[in-house]
Amino acid sequence: MASKKIHAIYTDDDLLLQAVKQTRAANYHISEVFTPFPVHGLDHAVGIAPTRIAITSFLYGLTGLGVAVLMMNYMMIQDWPQNIGGKPSFTFYQNMPTFIPIMFELTVFFAAHLMVVTFYMRSKIWPFKKAENPDVRTTDDHFLMEVDADNHDVEKLTKFLYDTGASEISLIENEQDH
């Protein structure tokens, strides 16, 4: 079974944002929007839920802090306590002020690196993956809105998209494997 999509090209980000709002108000399904730069308010206009990557970043930071505390407690207190500069090495809390830079650095290290890995996995950006950009101009100065046209009159949808300010429209038919 073939799926039909319409690619509408826009030349201005404000025009695209207004077109997305009009298209959603007309109950057409926007499957994807490609832009050369982030457009403020576009994710809300398309209906994309807010991201939860900040929550995962916080959890990764806590993991890094936990690893730092356990690592320093084991190395500096239990395994091989040393008297460095006259500082006692009896308990962890007595030495904690000197351990703060290490705890901070490992918190940031874990949060940053694991957040990047999570972002790549969530976005399905794998090494050597072929780009999915349908039009090369969207990396330069054009904006593309991909609208599902399966259950709609294509000519009516095309006219509607031209009325929203699209400069170019093309019908794309893809074969789906089920």
Side-chain angles (χ1 to χ4, degrees):
M1 167 149 189
S3 72
K4 294 189 284 187
K5 295 187 183 291
I6 290 185
H7 288 175
I9 301 283
Y10 296 88
T11 57
D12 183 46
D13 58 335
D14 293 329
L15 192 63
L16 170 75
L17 190 58
Q18 189 61 34
V20 165
K21 291 176 183 176
Q22 292 172 355
T23 305
R24 292 239 335 179
N27 292 326
Y28 292 116
H29 180 259
I30 300 170
S31 57
E32 190 66 69
V33 178
F34 296 90
T35 63
F37 54 84
V39 177
H40 180 70
L42 185 61
D43 51 349
H44 179 68
V46 173
I48 298 173
T51 181
R52 295 181 303 268
I53 200 162
I55 296 168
T56 60
S57 175
F58 178 72
L59 295 175
Y60 293 151
L62 286 179
T63 303
L65 180 64
V67 166
V69 167
L70 291 174
M71 177 188 74
M72 289 181 302
N73 185 50
Y74 175 72
M75 285 186 207
M76 300 299 288
I77 305 300
Q78 294 175 3
D79 185 40
W80 195 357
Q82 298 177 29
N83 186 351
I84 301 172
K87 296 178 183 167
S89 56
F90 303 125
T91 61
F92 180 80
Y93 70 88
Q94 288 176 322
N95 290 336
M96 192 169 9
T98 59
F99 294 158
I100 287 175
I102 300 168
M103 292 188 293
F104 172 76
E105 290 298 331
L106 277 179
T107 299
V108 172
F109 179 84
F110 271 65
H113 286 78
L114 292 175
M115 192 169 59
V116 167
V117 170
T118 301
F119 172 75
Y120 283 150
M121 290 175 64
R122 181 70 179 102
S123 300
K124 297 178 183 171
I125 302 175
W126 313 114
F128 310 110
K129 182 180 181 206
K130 186 177 183 237
E132 295 177 3
N133 192 354
D135 194 330
V136 188
R137 296 175 291 174
T138 60
T139 62
D140 189 21
D141 62 348
H142 285 70
F143 304 86
L144 186 141
M145 178 170 56
E146 189 177 76
V147 182
D148 290 335
D150 284 333
N151 301 322
H152 301 288
D153 181 17
V154 174
E155 291 175 12
K156 181 180 172 187
L157 180 56
T158 302
K159 182 183 179 329
F160 172 79
L161 290 173
Y162 272 125
D163 290 343
T164 63
S167 61
E168 180 183 325
I169 293 178
S170 57
L171 177 66
I172 308 297
E173 293 193 36
N174 293 330
E175 289 295 323
Q176 293 179 342
D177 297 327
H178 289 287

